[in-house]
Amino acid sequence: MLIKTQEDVTPVVLEAFKSAPDPRVREILAALVKHLHAFARDVHLTEEEFEKAVQFVVALGQKTTATHNEAVLMSGSLGFSALVCLLNNGNNGQTETTANLLGPFWRMNSPRTENGGTLIRSPTPGPAIFVNCWVKDQQGRPIEGAEVDVWHSSPEGFYEQQDEKQADMNLRGKFLTDAEGHFWFRSVKPAGYPIPIDGPVGDLVRATGRHHFRPAHLHFLIFKPGFKTLISQIYSNDDDKLETDVQFGVTRALIGNYLRHDDAPPAPDVTGEWYSLDQTFVMEPGKSRLPKPPIE
Ligand SMILES: [Fe+2]
Protein backbone atom coordinates (compact mmCIF):
# COMPACT_ATOMS: atom_id res chain seq x y z
CA MET A 1 0.00 0.00 0.00
CA LEU A 2 1.26 3.47 -0.85
CA ILE A 3 0.82 6.29 1.67
CA LYS A 4 -1.58 9.01 0.51
CA THR A 5 -2.42 11.02 3.69
CA GLN A 6 -1.34 11.08 7.36
CA GLU A 7 -4.03 8.53 8.16
CA ASP A 8 -2.32 5.91 6.00
CA VAL A 9 1.02 6.01 7.82
CA THR A 10 0.02 3.96 10.86
CA PRO A 11 -1.48 0.95 9.03
CA VAL A 12 1.48 0.88 6.62
CA VAL A 13 4.03 0.80 9.46
CA LEU A 14 2.00 -1.79 11.41
CA GLU A 15 1.83 -4.01 8.33
CA ALA A 16 5.58 -3.68 7.72
CA PHE A 17 6.44 -4.65 11.32
CA LYS A 18 4.31 -7.80 11.17
CA SER A 19 7.34 -9.55 9.69
CA ALA A 20 9.28 -9.40 12.99
CA PRO A 21 9.92 -13.08 13.80
CA ASP A 22 9.97 -12.70 17.60
CA PRO A 23 6.31 -12.56 18.78
CA ARG A 24 7.08 -10.38 21.82
CA VAL A 25 9.08 -7.89 19.68
CA ARG A 26 6.14 -7.88 17.25
CA GLU A 27 3.66 -7.15 20.06
CA ILE A 28 5.78 -4.37 21.61
CA LEU A 29 6.52 -2.67 18.28
CA ALA A 30 2.87 -2.72 17.19
CA ALA A 31 1.75 -1.10 20.47
CA LEU A 32 4.61 1.41 20.34
CA VAL A 33 3.69 2.52 16.81
CA LYS A 34 0.00 2.82 17.69
CA HIS A 35 0.61 4.89 20.83
CA LEU A 36 3.40 7.02 19.35
CA HIS A 37 1.35 7.91 16.26
CA ALA A 38 -1.73 8.58 18.38
CA PHE A 39 0.36 10.87 20.59
CA ALA A 40 1.51 12.96 17.60
CA ARG A 41 -2.10 13.25 16.38
CA ASP A 42 -3.37 14.06 19.90
CA VAL A 43 -1.13 17.09 20.37
CA HIS A 44 -0.78 17.80 16.64
CA LEU A 45 3.00 17.84 17.03
CA THR A 46 4.60 20.65 15.00
CA GLU A 47 7.82 20.25 13.02
CA GLU A 48 9.65 22.60 15.42
CA GLU A 49 8.47 20.55 18.40
CA PHE A 50 9.59 17.37 16.68
CA GLU A 51 13.09 18.84 16.17
CA LYS A 52 13.21 19.77 19.86
CA ALA A 53 12.11 16.27 20.86
CA VAL A 54 14.89 14.69 18.79
CA GLN A 55 17.48 16.99 20.38
CA PHE A 56 16.10 16.01 23.77
CA VAL A 57 16.57 12.28 23.11
CA VAL A 58 20.07 12.86 21.72
CA ALA A 59 20.97 14.81 24.88
CA LEU A 60 19.96 11.83 27.06
CA GLY A 61 22.75 9.83 25.47
CA GLN A 62 25.27 12.66 25.38
CA LYS A 63 24.76 13.36 29.08
CA THR A 64 25.24 9.70 30.04
CA THR A 65 28.70 8.66 31.27
CA ALA A 66 30.26 5.72 33.14
CA THR A 67 29.04 7.20 36.43
CA HIS A 68 25.77 8.87 35.41
CA ASN A 69 22.77 7.52 33.49
CA GLU A 70 20.56 10.36 32.26
CA ALA A 71 18.11 7.96 30.56
CA VAL A 72 17.34 6.20 33.87
CA LEU A 73 16.94 9.59 35.53
CA MET A 74 14.54 10.74 32.81
CA SER A 75 12.49 7.55 33.06
CA GLY A 76 12.15 8.15 36.80
CA SER A 77 11.29 11.81 36.31
CA LEU A 78 8.40 10.83 34.03
CA GLY A 79 7.05 8.29 36.54
CA PHE A 80 7.75 5.52 34.03
CA SER A 81 10.20 3.61 36.25
CA ALA A 82 7.69 3.63 39.13
CA LEU A 83 4.98 2.33 36.79
CA VAL A 84 7.14 -0.52 35.45
CA CYS A 85 8.15 -1.49 39.00
CA LEU A 86 4.57 -1.57 40.31
CA LEU A 87 3.33 -3.45 37.24
CA ASN A 88 5.84 -6.23 37.85
CA ASN A 89 5.70 -6.59 41.65
CA GLY A 90 2.90 -7.01 44.21
CA ASN A 91 1.55 -10.07 42.38
CA ASN A 92 1.92 -8.33 39.01
CA GLY A 93 0.42 -5.04 40.12
CA GLN A 94 -2.55 -6.46 42.06
CA THR A 95 -1.44 -5.70 45.64
CA GLU A 96 0.79 -3.31 47.57
CA THR A 97 4.47 -4.15 47.53
CA THR A 98 7.70 -3.12 49.22
CA ALA A 99 9.43 -3.31 45.82
CA ASN A 100 10.85 -0.05 44.52
CA LEU A 101 13.32 1.45 42.08
CA LEU A 102 16.96 0.31 42.01
CA GLY A 103 18.21 3.86 41.49
CA PRO A 104 21.53 4.78 39.93
CA PHE A 105 23.90 4.12 42.86
CA TRP A 106 23.82 0.36 43.54
CA ARG A 107 27.25 -1.28 43.31
CA MET A 108 28.10 -4.98 43.10
CA ASN A 109 30.23 -6.51 45.87
CA SER A 110 29.40 -4.40 48.90
CA PRO A 111 31.55 -5.44 51.90
CA ARG A 112 30.28 -8.49 53.80
CA THR A 113 29.15 -7.28 57.22
CA GLU A 114 28.10 -9.32 60.26
CA ASN A 115 24.66 -8.64 61.72
CA GLY A 116 24.91 -5.85 64.26
CA GLY A 117 27.86 -4.35 62.36
CA THR A 118 28.17 -0.85 61.01
CA LEU A 119 28.02 0.64 57.51
CA ILE A 120 30.30 3.49 58.57
CA ARG A 121 33.72 2.96 56.99
CA SER A 122 35.11 6.47 57.39
CA PRO A 123 34.16 9.25 59.84
CA THR A 124 30.61 10.33 58.86
CA PRO A 125 29.02 12.89 61.19
CA GLY A 126 25.28 12.64 61.77
CA PRO A 127 22.67 11.04 64.02
CA ALA A 128 23.14 7.31 64.60
CA ILE A 129 20.47 4.95 63.29
CA PHE A 130 19.90 1.34 64.40
CA VAL A 131 18.02 -0.70 61.80
CA ASN A 132 16.27 -4.05 62.37
CA CYS A 133 14.73 -5.80 59.37
CA TRP A 134 12.87 -9.07 58.84
CA VAL A 135 12.51 -10.89 55.52
CA LYS A 136 9.43 -13.11 55.14
CA ASP A 137 7.61 -15.05 52.45
CA GLN A 138 3.99 -14.34 51.51
CA GLN A 139 2.81 -16.80 54.20
CA GLY A 140 4.73 -14.87 56.87
CA ARG A 141 7.45 -17.51 57.26
CA PRO A 142 10.99 -16.19 57.87
CA ILE A 143 13.44 -16.46 54.97
CA GLU A 144 16.84 -17.57 56.24
CA GLY A 145 20.05 -17.06 54.30
CA ALA A 146 18.86 -14.19 52.10
CA GLU A 147 21.70 -11.93 50.95
CA VAL A 148 20.89 -8.28 51.56
CA ASP A 149 22.72 -5.31 50.06
CA VAL A 150 22.16 -2.03 51.88
CA TRP A 151 23.34 1.36 50.61
CA HIS A 152 22.43 4.97 51.30
CA SER A 153 23.44 8.61 51.13
CA SER A 154 25.26 10.41 53.94
CA PRO A 155 23.56 12.89 56.30
CA GLU A 156 24.82 15.51 53.79
CA GLY A 157 22.98 13.79 50.92
CA PHE A 158 25.93 12.26 49.05
CA TYR A 159 26.70 8.66 48.08
CA GLU A 160 30.32 7.62 48.66
CA GLN A 161 31.29 7.80 45.00
CA GLN A 162 30.04 11.40 44.80
CA ASP A 163 31.99 12.54 47.87
CA GLU A 164 35.75 12.51 48.27
CA LYS A 165 35.40 12.80 52.08
CA GLN A 166 33.92 9.28 52.21
CA ALA A 167 35.95 6.06 52.01
CA ASP A 168 35.28 3.57 49.21
CA MET A 169 32.12 1.56 50.08
CA ASN A 170 31.17 3.87 52.97
CA LEU A 171 27.49 3.43 53.93
CA ARG A 172 27.29 0.13 52.05
CA GLY A 173 27.18 -3.43 53.35
CA LYS A 174 26.04 -6.96 52.54
CA PHE A 175 24.19 -8.96 55.21
CA LEU A 176 22.81 -12.47 55.60
CA THR A 177 19.44 -13.11 57.28
CA ASP A 178 19.42 -15.48 60.27
CA ALA A 179 16.91 -18.27 61.07
CA GLU A 180 14.27 -15.64 61.95
CA GLY A 181 14.81 -13.86 58.63
CA HIS A 182 16.37 -11.05 60.67
CA PHE A 183 19.27 -8.78 59.70
CA TRP A 184 20.38 -5.70 61.58
CA PHE A 185 22.97 -3.00 61.44
CA ARG A 186 24.02 0.45 62.55
CA SER A 187 24.65 3.51 60.39
CA VAL A 188 23.95 7.25 60.22
CA LYS A 189 20.57 8.68 59.24
CA PRO A 190 20.53 9.46 55.51
CA ALA A 191 19.40 12.80 54.09
CA GLY A 192 17.39 13.55 50.98
CA TYR A 193 19.34 14.81 48.00
CA PRO A 194 18.98 16.71 44.71
CA ILE A 195 19.12 14.91 41.38
CA PRO A 196 21.38 16.44 38.69
CA ILE A 197 19.61 19.12 36.65
CA ASP A 198 22.33 20.13 34.19
CA GLY A 199 20.85 18.01 31.38
CA PRO A 200 17.48 17.30 29.74
CA VAL A 201 16.02 16.11 33.08
CA GLY A 202 16.71 19.60 34.42
CA ASP A 203 14.82 21.08 31.44
CA LEU A 204 11.84 18.88 32.32
CA VAL A 205 11.99 19.80 36.02
CA ARG A 206 12.10 23.52 35.21
CA ALA A 207 9.38 23.25 32.56
CA THR A 208 7.05 21.67 35.12
CA GLY A 209 7.94 24.00 38.00
CA ARG A 210 8.93 21.10 40.27
CA HIS A 211 11.72 20.84 42.86
CA HIS A 212 14.48 18.34 42.08
CA PHE A 213 14.85 16.50 45.40
CA ARG A 214 14.36 12.94 46.55
CA PRO A 215 13.19 12.31 50.14
CA ALA A 216 15.67 10.57 52.49
CA HIS A 217 15.80 6.77 52.17
CA LEU A 218 17.74 3.57 52.71
CA HIS A 219 18.21 1.22 49.72
CA PHE A 220 17.89 -2.58 49.96
CA LEU A 221 18.44 -5.41 47.48
CA ILE A 222 17.40 -8.84 48.84
CA PHE A 223 18.52 -11.96 46.99
CA LYS A 224 17.54 -15.55 47.69
CA PRO A 225 17.19 -18.34 45.09
CA GLY A 226 13.51 -19.30 44.65
CA PHE A 227 12.29 -15.75 45.29
CA LYS A 228 11.91 -12.73 43.04
CA THR A 229 14.83 -10.45 43.92
CA LEU A 230 13.37 -7.68 46.08
CA ILE A 231 14.70 -4.20 45.36
CA SER A 232 13.42 -1.66 47.84
CA GLN A 233 13.83 1.79 49.35
CA ILE A 234 12.47 2.72 52.78
CA TYR A 235 11.71 6.43 53.03
CA SER A 236 12.00 8.56 56.14
CA ASN A 237 8.55 9.42 57.56
CA ASP A 238 9.80 12.84 58.77
CA ASP A 239 10.78 14.04 55.26
CA ASP A 240 8.61 16.86 53.88
CA LYS A 241 9.04 15.72 50.25
CA LEU A 242 7.38 12.27 50.44
CA GLU A 243 4.48 13.41 48.24
CA THR A 244 6.58 15.39 45.79
CA ASP A 245 9.53 13.03 45.12
CA VAL A 246 11.02 14.16 41.78
CA GLN A 247 11.33 10.44 40.83
CA PHE A 248 7.81 9.42 41.95
CA GLY A 249 9.37 6.55 43.94
CA VAL A 250 7.48 6.85 47.23
CA THR A 251 4.50 4.56 47.85
CA ARG A 252 2.58 4.09 51.10
CA ALA A 253 4.15 0.70 51.76
CA LEU A 254 7.65 2.21 51.63
CA ILE A 255 7.32 4.85 54.36
CA GLY A 256 9.38 3.61 57.28
CA ASN A 257 8.83 4.45 60.92
CA TYR A 258 12.13 6.24 61.63
CA LEU A 259 11.73 6.73 65.39
CA ARG A 260 13.64 9.52 67.06
CA HIS A 261 15.08 8.95 70.55
CA ASP A 262 16.82 11.37 72.86
CA ASP A 263 17.80 9.10 75.71
CA ALA A 264 19.13 5.63 76.59
CA PRO A 265 21.42 5.22 73.57
CA PRO A 266 21.97 1.57 72.58
CA ALA A 267 25.74 2.07 72.24
CA PRO A 268 28.10 3.94 74.57
CA ASP A 269 29.51 6.20 71.85
CA VAL A 270 26.10 7.61 70.82
CA THR A 271 25.53 11.15 72.03
CA GLY A 272 22.48 13.32 71.41
CA GLU A 273 19.54 12.23 69.29
CA TRP A 274 19.52 8.85 67.61
CA TYR A 275 17.03 6.88 65.50
CA SER A 276 15.69 3.36 65.18
CA LEU A 277 13.88 1.71 62.28
CA ASP A 278 12.08 -1.66 62.26
CA GLN A 279 11.02 -2.90 58.84
CA THR A 280 9.57 -6.10 57.37
CA PHE A 281 10.06 -7.13 53.74
CA VAL A 282 7.88 -9.70 51.97
CA MET A 283 9.42 -11.67 49.10
CA GLU A 284 7.33 -13.17 46.30
CA PRO A 285 8.14 -16.54 44.76
CA GLY A 286 9.86 -16.09 41.41
CA LYS A 287 13.13 -15.76 39.62
CA SER A 288 16.16 -14.58 41.56
CA ARG A 289 18.29 -12.42 39.33
CA LEU A 290 20.69 -9.57 39.94
CA PRO A 291 20.13 -6.42 37.93
CA LYS A 292 22.88 -4.99 35.78
CA PRO A 293 24.59 -2.27 37.83
CA PRO A 294 23.38 1.04 36.33
CA ILE A 295 26.90 2.51 36.44
CA GLU A 296 30.37 0.95 36.24
FE1 LIG B 1 19.01 6.83 46.63
Side-chain angles (χ1 to χ4, degrees):
M1 170 181 168
L2 271 178
I3 296 168
K4 205 162 87 184
T5 68
Q6 60 88 8
E7 285 161 358
D8 301 333
V9 180
T10 308
V12 166
V13 178
L14 287 174
E15 185 60 33
F17 285 3
K18 274 188 187 159
S19 55
D22 184 318
R24 181 64 174 157
V25 169
R26 209 157 58 227
E27 182 187 4
I28 288 175
L29 282 178
L32 175 69
V33 167
K34 279 183 209 161
H35 288 278
L36 193 62
H37 290 206
F39 160 73
R41 291 190 180 99
D42 241 23
V43 299
H44 201 109
L45 201 70
T46 67
E47 286 153 314
E48 289 80 5
E49 287 162 347
F50 175 67
E51 274 174 32
K52 262 195 177 172
V54 170
Q55 283 165 13
F56 201 74
V57 172
V58 168
L60 291 177
Q62 287 172 337
K63 203 71 204 162
T64 294
T65 65
T67 56
H68 172 78
N69 192 321
E70 187 80 2
V72 169
L73 200 65
M74 179 59 79
S75 172
S77 304
L78 290 168
F80 197 66
S81 306
L83 173 62
V84 172
C85 173
L86 293 175
L87 268 177
N88 287 284
N89 290 281
N91 302 303
N92 276 321
Q94 300 307 302
T95 57
E96 279 199 306
T97 173
T98 48
N100 200 213
L101 315 175
L102 178 66
F105 295 115
W106 176 61
R107 288 176 69 183
M108 282 261 191
N109 307 317
S110 282
R112 282 269 178 197
T113 309
E114 290 302 314
N115 278 314
T118 179
L119 301 186
I120 303 168
R121 305 185 192 282
S122 60
T124 315
I129 185 165
F130 295 81
V131 180
N132 275 282
C133 299
W134 290 265
V135 182
K136 296 184 171 167
D137 67 13
Q138 287 180 315
Q139 284 71 46
R141 294 173 300 211
I143 299 177
E144 182 181 5
E147 287 183 18
V148 185
D149 275 12
V150 184
W151 67 105
H152 67 88
S153 69
S154 72
E156 293 179 347
F158 295 110
Y159 288 84
E160 43 92 13
Q161 70 266 57
Q162 302 175 299
D163 184 1
E164 52 188 33
K165 285 186 293 188
Q166 294 184 53
D168 188 43
M169 293 290 181
N170 191 40
L171 310 184
R172 294 177 185 271
K174 189 189 273 295
F175 298 86
L176 207 59
T177 56
D178 69 9
E180 272 74 56
H182 187 196
F183 68 95
W184 64 102
F185 61 90
R186 171 181 176 171
S187 193
V188 280
K189 189 168 184 272
Y193 53 85
I195 62 165
I197 49 166
D198 56 348
V201 168
D203 292 338
L204 174 74
V205 166
R206 281 180 292 274
T208 50
R210 306 195 73 216
H211 70 68
H212 60 292
F213 282 79
R214 302 219 62 223
H217 53 271
L218 295 167
H219 288 269
F220 299 87
L221 186 151
I222 309 177
F223 180 91
K224 166 91 185 181
F227 294 91
K228 189 173 192 300
T229 302
L230 180 58
I231 295 166
S232 189
Q233 300 183 38
I234 301 300
Y235 296 90
S236 187
N237 52 329
D238 59 4
D239 198 296
D240 64 359
K241 296 187 175 65
L242 291 172
E243 291 186 22
T244 57
D245 177 10
V246 66
Q247 295 280 289
F248 302 100
V250 184
T251 64
R252 284 194 316 187
L254 298 173
I255 298 175
N257 191 19
Y258 288 66
L259 270 182
R260 185 192 152 139
H261 309 266
D262 292 293
D263 57 358
D269 61 319
V270 175
T271 52
E273 65 172 48
W274 58 278
Y275 289 80
S276 63
L277 171 70
D278 288 5
Q279 180 68 40
T280 298
F281 296 99
V282 178
M283 295 187 85
E284 301 181 23
K287 206 171 142 195
S288 55
R289 61 174 281 272
L290 282 179
K292 185 177 165 327
I295 52 173
E296 285 156 23

